[in-house]
Amino acid sequence: MLIADGWKEFEVLDCDGGEKLERWGDYILLRPDPQVIWKTGREAAEWKRLSGHYHRSAKGGGDWEIFDLPEEWQIGYPLSSIEKEICFNLRPFKFKHTGVFPEQAANWEIFSKLIADRRAAEPNREVKVLNLFAYTGGATMAAAAAGASVTHVDASKGMVSWAKDNAGASGLASAPIRWLVDDCVKFVEREIRRGNHYDAIIMDPPSYGRGPKGEIWKIEDSVWYLVNICAQLLSDEPLFFLINSYTTGLQASVLSYMLSAVLKEGRTGGIGYTAEDDSRPGAGRAFTCRVEANEIGLPVKYSGLVLPCGASGLAVFQ
């Protein structure tokens, strides 16, 4: 399991009865979590001094009950792998979110080092990263801080605007980031037709969603096709391909099996092809594709347990 234990301004304090107690900077939030099916009691003092409590509705969705919480505040995350900090503007957003999935810091650490190492080895070579379903930009900022040129794609105009604000707060306003409001699948299809390629791909697909023109996304129906076409966007010197998922039915092994099948783990030659039948310039260079499956979690302060928060499949090319 990958554990996101590098946070200074965020922590899961306790978990009980379908809810998790968290500290976000100076504020204590209580939010629902379907994985917390155990009951261990609520003895910590923070249970009694909440800043905000998200109540889920039996009809779906829910509402925030605010006690002592500003409309917006900020926390930072220190990327230890590259010794830089990225910042997040937080808000009590609908559907219980605050604007960052803190467990993803475990992945930020891994791929920011991969990017920084590539840049150190080849300082004159651009590292191009495609971030799909990019939300408020945590992965985008981690990649840009490590020296990558990033294409950030999300179907929500509001999320892209939020991500740009986060990049500004992180000192990355002038970083080489393209901010695009688009349907991720249609964008990838157009990039293939345009002949564009990327050294690394990150995707964080939701279980269900709609594109800017009402396009329907269901992860079980759509993710296999998207992974296949994304493989066509990888450059002749790929670096990594990362898939995250919060969908209960898609475990880490499922994500890794998809990557292994599409990228032909352990093979040499072009992505998804043998060295003989890949006609792209420069294809056929020998590399090894290593695929990992990881559960991702956050440490829980008072119990010493780790709260499972999703899964990832990571392909690293060497």
Side-chain angles (χ1 to χ4, degrees):
M1 175 182 280
L2 297 177
I3 301 176
D5 57 2
W7 286 93
K8 307 300 181 185
E9 297 184 78
F10 167 85
E11 58 186 337
V12 179
L13 300 170
D14 206 357
C15 301
D16 176 83
E19 294 183 300
K20 55 186 176 184
L21 184 70
E22 305 164 305
R23 180 180 66 83
W24 297 81
D26 296 329
Y27 303 100
I28 306 298
L29 302 184
L30 184 59
R31 300 190 297 158
D33 191 313
Q35 303 244 58
V36 183
I37 61 176
W38 57 87
K39 294 184 179 181
T40 54
R42 302 189 172 195
E43 299 179 359
E46 288 90 344
W47 286 99
K48 298 179 180 179
R49 52 183 184 88
L50 302 180
S51 303
H53 185 183
Y54 187 88
H55 299 277
R56 187 173 295 284
S57 169
K59 298 179 181 180
D63 294 289
W64 282 95
E65 181 181 8
I66 302 298
F67 303 110
D68 177 26
L69 194 63
E71 292 184 2
E72 184 172 294
W73 73 105
Q74 192 176 94
I75 64 171
Y77 177 76
L79 279 162
S80 62
S81 59
I82 57 173
E83 298 183 345
K84 293 185 179 180
E85 182 169 88
I86 54 178
C87 296
F88 297 88
N89 297 299
L90 305 180
R91 305 166 197 162
F93 191 61
K94 61 181 179 179
F95 306 122
K96 79 177 182 179
H97 300 309
T98 61
V100 61
F101 292 103
E103 67 278 358
Q104 287 303 316
N107 281 322
W108 303 339
E109 294 285 2
I110 292 172
F111 69 70
S112 62
K113 187 175 189 308
L114 290 172
I115 293 167
D117 287 349
R118 168 71 68 87
R119 292 283 290 144
E122 302 179 63
N124 296 322
R125 186 181 185 278
E126 182 183 29
V127 176
K128 296 177 63 178
V129 175
L130 174 61
N131 186 14
L132 301 171
F133 308 98
Y135 194 51
T136 60
T140 292
M141 293 187 295
S149 298
V150 186
T151 298
H152 174 112
V153 186
D154 197 279
S156 168
K157 183 177 180 180
M159 289 297 116
V160 173
S161 178
W162 193 341
K164 291 176 72 174
D165 289 343
N166 285 339
S170 302
L172 296 168
S174 60
I177 303 172
R178 282 202 300 164
W179 304 101
L180 301 176
V181 179
D182 206 341
D183 176 80
C184 290
V185 175
K186 291 185 176 180
F187 174 78
V188 170
E189 291 171 338
R190 288 197 301 272
E191 286 289 87
I192 292 171
R193 293 194 294 270
R194 288 188 283 247
N196 291 331
H197 294 99
Y198 297 86
D199 302 300
I201 296 174
I202 301 165
M203 66 170 69
D204 201 345
S207 298
Y208 178 87
R210 289 183 179 272
K213 296 183 180 179
E215 301 91 342
I216 299 296
W217 166 272
K218 292 183 179 179
I219 192 168
E220 295 89 345
D221 299 334
S222 305
V223 71
W224 170 246
Y225 171 73
L226 180 58
V227 172
N228 271 272
I229 61 174
C230 279
Q232 299 177 50
L233 290 181
L234 285 168
S235 70
D236 297 323
E237 296 187 42
L239 188 56
F240 67 87
F241 192 146
L242 171 66
I243 308 175
N244 295 303
S245 175
Y246 307 96
T247 304
T248 305
L250 292 183
Q251 299 181 18
S253 57
V254 175
L255 303 178
S256 68
Y257 293 161
M258 283 195 297
L259 288 173
S260 295
V262 171
L263 304 177
K264 298 186 178 180
E265 181 179 10
R267 297 281 294 275
T268 61
I271 304 303
Y273 302 89
T274 65
E276 291 76 22
D277 62 17
D278 189 344
S279 60
R280 282 188 292 155
R285 182 186 64 83
F287 59 76
T288 300
C289 173
R290 172 176 52 83
V291 178
E292 302 175 359
N294 289 297
E295 191 174 7
I296 305 173
L298 287 164
V300 182
K301 180 178 181 178
Y302 292 128
S303 68
L305 302 177
V306 175
L307 177 65
C309 299
S312 69
L314 174 65
V316 178
F317 302 94
Q318 298 171 329

